[in-house]
Amino acid sequence: MAAEAAWQQKAQAKKDAVISLLPDLYNRDFSDRKDRDVTGSMLWEFLTPQDREITESYAEDIVKQTTTGQWTAEAVTRAFCSRASLAHKLVNCLHEVFFEDAIAEAKKLDAYFADHKKPVGPLHGLPVSLKDQFHVRGVETTMGYVGWIDTFQGKKGTGKEKVFESEMVRELRNLGAVLYCKTSVPHTLMTGETVNNIIGYTWNPKNRNLSSGGSSGGEGALIAMKGSPLGFGTDIGGSIRIPAGFNGQYGLRPSTGRMPYEGMANSMDGQNTVLSVVGPLSSSLGGLRLAMTAILSQQPWLHDPLVHELPWRSEHGQYIEDILSASGSKLVFGVLKNDGVVTPHPPVRRAIDMAVKAVEAAGHKVQPANVPRDHANTRGQVIEWKPPSHERGNNIGIKSWIYDGGEDVQSAIGLSGEPFVKQVADLYGEKRPQFDASAIAATNIEKREYQKEYLEYWNSTAELTGTGRPVDAFISPLAPFCAARPEKYKYYGYSTIINMIDYTSCVLPITTVDKSVDVVDETFSPLSDFDKDISNDYDPEIYDGAHVALQVIGRRLHEEKILAIAGEVDRAVKGSK
């Protein structure tokens, strides 16, 4: 009982400390507000007209103002600190706030601009939020663990406490970004819902019946609340894409080795079969592109040994634009409607149909990859993308999550005696046998062979497209549901397979749930009892109004191309509404 009281007291003190740092004007009690959707006009009464204008601007538009002196870095920073405070009180999305340090940094940027008549860098004066895996001087990194409070990754006396900074943090400062908060994560990072014993549950601001996703759920929720124009998360099984999609935002999962992870906290550090990657979330595709080009301009490969020496290759994106602008030349898409394991809910199925119709209306081909060669030029026919079994691929990749039998996360939980939240207890609540070196090597071989099989499958589509190129990208669900209900994230296969094959994936919003349209399918025939169980979690009344997103997937290290292709899909979908 004493140990239980100790961890609870420590968690409550940390939670209260974060709230105490919010500006008094915005530190309000919203407990009586029962609004399902808190993303709209309900916040306007608390914001000045200038704050509204600033916070409702896209990241790429904000930097046009701050890098030319039209807006001061201080004004922009104060506006986002205000809105972030309101967001936290409504959906529980912040782990650390350092607004005073941010405002002081913004003032320095303004002084630099006044003296030199130029910006510090391309992100001059842009507030950037960070998932609570990044180390930032002056604040802690708890990663949702009570036992990490007042430590450096669970250890005391390291000399790194509140001093050490992650490599990307250094680069963001060099670029002129203003860092002001760190966002919530689930402890262990290994769930698609964001919940921990410090701040509780992070809710979806568009529909507070639902999860904001995970593990970068705080980022997704904060950006959806317009409390941040641009943030960075990480993704080992969908943790950038899930929160971006669930919250109606844009997110990019780059391939491994494209962005610097050096000096960040992590779970199961040293597991190299399926690596976690860093990537951006934003309210626009332009924000994703801005983030990628800015970070890569810092040559991160000089400081992170795992980053490839690949500057931003504008010509790769231009290649796609040239295809789009050439007369009679269009893109070819594959479409995955069902992975054969779990059937997407009705709103997700409708979103796929919307995307297919939109790109076809824009003149692109939705190309089946398994039709006879003499039907290769058939247009308007939608047949599922049929790659190597995703179930088999996911069964290989999931092994890496339990190589150590849960030792790493159980040790972190054990520091305080706190319990695992239900969302991760089934996987990590009890110790499992650890894999030995031979078993890990065998898994790595399985993975490589599966990746090779998938690669050659994609190559083979060149015989079917009629363009001489393989399929340019394929469109897929992000998850079987548009967002998870609490404690009901039961299947990750649509997102985890992309980590397994290490492809580039961009998530974009397609529509919202309409309970009068997205009704329960009474004719549904489940693939299995598991499929039936997940189907039964769909309730149009509960889901009404929620965002529905899809992912557009390209090949490995095709970040420039996939952002250009996602842009075309985004334009087509918006143009079809």
Side-chain angles (χ1 to χ4, degrees):
M1 293 294 293
E4 180 180 359
W7 77 255
Q8 289 177 323
Q9 290 172 6
K10 199 168 190 177
Q12 187 64 49
K14 180 66 177 179
K15 180 179 181 179
D16 293 344
V18 173
I19 292 175
S20 72
L21 293 171
L22 304 179
D24 291 339
L25 182 61
Y26 307 104
N27 194 352
R28 295 174 176 264
D29 182 7
F30 290 108
S31 59
D32 62 333
R33 296 298 297 258
K34 304 304 180 185
D35 311 58
R36 175 180 293 205
D37 181 353
V38 294
T39 61
S41 59
M42 71 164 289
L43 298 184
W44 292 356
E45 64 181 284
F46 306 111
L47 301 168
T48 67
Q50 183 185 35
D51 286 351
R52 276 185 55 193
E53 179 186 10
I54 290 171
T55 55
E56 295 185 14
S57 298
Y58 295 136
E60 65 270 30
D61 295 326
I62 293 171
V63 295
K64 289 177 184 176
Q65 302 294 323
T66 56
T67 58
T68 58
Q70 302 302 303
W71 288 347
T72 65
E74 181 182 357
V76 172
T77 300
R78 288 185 181 276
F80 279 102
C81 289
S82 300
R83 198 141 185 169
S85 300
L86 295 169
H88 183 58
K89 293 307 294 286
L90 284 161
V91 295
N92 292 336
C93 57
L94 301 180
H95 274 189
E96 300 287 341
V97 296
F98 34 105
F99 297 162
E100 290 187 6
D101 288 349
I103 291 167
E105 187 63 29
K107 289 179 178 179
K108 292 179 183 177
L109 292 169
D110 289 335
Y112 181 93
F113 192 93
D115 290 342
H116 298 87
K117 302 298 185 283
K118 65 177 183 179
V120 166
L123 302 185
H124 182 101
L126 180 70
V128 173
S129 52
L130 299 172
K131 183 179 185 177
D132 192 26
Q133 287 181 257
F134 290 86
H135 292 296
V136 179
R137 65 173 180 253
V139 294
E140 296 177 333
T141 301
T142 67
M143 219 168 73
Y145 289 123
V146 176
W148 281 22
I149 297 171
D150 297 327
T151 73
F152 181 81
Q153 297 182 187
K155 298 179 180 179
K156 294 187 176 183
T158 67
K160 295 182 177 181
E161 293 88 340
K162 296 186 179 182
V163 176
F164 179 81
E165 292 202 316
S166 304
E167 172 58 26
M168 189 182 284
V169 170
R170 182 189 68 82
E171 293 169 2
L172 286 166
R173 293 192 191 280
N174 289 345
L175 291 161
V178 179
L179 309 178
Y180 65 114
C181 65
K182 294 205 294 175
T183 53
S184 57
V185 303
H187 63 211
T188 77
L189 307 177
M190 302 303 289
T191 175
E193 301 173 57
T194 292
V195 56
N196 61 60
N197 293 317
I198 300 174
I199 66 159
Y201 201 90
T202 302
W203 295 99
N204 187 315
K206 183 65 175 173
N207 182 331
R208 290 196 294 173
N209 293 320
L210 305 173
S211 170
S212 65
S215 59
S216 309
E219 280 299 317
L222 182 65
I223 295 169
M225 293 287 288
K226 301 187 187 302
S228 171
L230 173 66
F232 285 93
T234 64
D235 193 314
I236 195 173
S239 294
I240 291 168
R241 292 162 288 149
I242 291 165
F246 285 10
N247 293 285
Q249 306 305 304
Y250 297 83
L252 180 69
R253 187 261 177 209
S255 294
T256 57
R258 201 72 206 272
M259 298 288 273
Y261 212 112
E262 176 67 24
M264 291 175 59
N266 202 3
S267 290
M268 299 168 290
D269 193 14
Q271 178 280 112
N272 293 330
T273 297
V274 178
L275 288 171
S276 179
V277 299
V278 179
L281 299 86
S282 188
S283 51
S284 68
L285 282 169
L288 304 184
R289 187 175 291 106
L290 174 67
M292 294 294 293
T293 56
I295 291 295
L296 292 179
S297 74
Q298 295 294 291
Q299 299 182 294
W301 49 86
L302 295 179
H303 301 281
D304 185 334
L306 298 185
V307 175
H308 304 303
E309 188 171 346
L310 285 178
W312 187 254
R313 302 161 296 183
S314 298
E315 65 275 14
H316 287 210
Q318 188 59 49
Y319 170 78
I320 300 299
E321 298 298 336
D322 289 345
I323 291 174
L324 296 173
S325 62
S327 177
S329 180
K330 294 295 181 179
L331 300 173
V332 183
F333 293 90
V335 176
L336 179 72
K337 290 190 170 186
N338 189 317
D339 69 356
V341 181
V342 173
T343 305
H345 285 176
V348 179
R349 299 204 297 268
R350 179 168 64 86
I352 295 171
D353 290 341
M354 288 177 63
V356 168
K357 290 175 182 177
V359 296
E360 286 182 330
H364 304 295
K365 182 188 292 187
V366 180
Q367 174 62 49
N370 61 336
V371 296
R373 185 175 300 187
D374 58 351
H375 291 99
N377 292 318
T378 299
R379 289 179 179 271
Q381 187 178 13
V382 179
I383 300 177
E384 288 181 312
W385 174 254
K386 292 287 187 180
S389 165
H390 280 194
E391 183 176 21
R392 176 162 56 89
N394 279 315
N395 286 340
I396 297 168
I398 197 72
K399 295 177 186 178
S400 66
W401 294 5
I402 52 173
Y403 276 165
D404 70 348
E407 177 68 28
D408 177 73
V409 297
Q410 288 167 355
S411 295
I413 286 286
L415 291 171
S416 67
E418 65 176 311
F420 280 105
V421 296
K422 186 178 186 302
Q423 286 82 349
V424 295
D426 288 346
L427 185 60
Y428 294 115
E430 296 184 5
K431 287 188 177 181
R432 300 168 180 260
Q434 295 194 12
F435 281 53
D436 62 21
S438 295
I440 292 172
T443 302
N444 288 335
I445 292 170
E446 280 188 281
K447 177 200 171 192
R448 186 179 70 231
E449 290 174 346
Y450 181 85
Q451 287 177 302
K452 168 67 172 174
E453 189 179 347
Y454 214 108
L455 183 71
E456 295 300 347
Y457 168 76
W458 198 310
N459 291 339
S460 73
T461 65
E463 299 180 5
L464 306 172
T465 60
T467 65
R469 306 186 310 271
V471 162
D472 295 295
F474 73 93
I475 298 168
S476 167
L478 169 66
F481 27 73
C482 58
R485 294 170 61 181
E487 300 183 2
K488 291 183 180 293
Y489 208 132
K490 303 169 185 174
Y491 182 67
Y492 294 89
Y494 285 101
S495 60
T496 54
I497 192 63
I498 307 308
N499 301 83
M500 171 64 184
I501 54 181
D502 196 23
Y503 283 0
T504 304
S505 174
C506 184
V507 164
L508 60 159
I510 303 296
T511 186
T512 56
V513 178
D514 183 338
K515 65 181 180 181
S516 65
V517 175
D518 300 310
V519 298
V520 173
D521 183 359
E522 300 295 346
T523 66
F524 172 67
S525 179
L527 300 169
S528 64
D529 288 343
F530 182 54
D531 189 28
K532 181 180 180 180
D533 181 40
I534 292 176
S535 176
N536 288 342
D537 288 337
Y538 178 64
D539 184 328
E541 290 291 338
I542 291 174
Y543 274 93
D544 190 43
H547 289 292
V548 190
L550 298 175
Q551 51 183 339
V552 179
I553 299 155
R555 305 181 86 167
R556 187 168 176 268
L557 297 169
H558 278 202
E559 288 76 25
E560 297 88 347
K561 288 182 179 179
I562 209 62
L563 282 179
I565 293 171
E568 176 64 8
V569 176
D570 194 47
R571 286 188 292 271
V573 170
K574 289 176 177 175
S576 68
K577 293 179 180 179

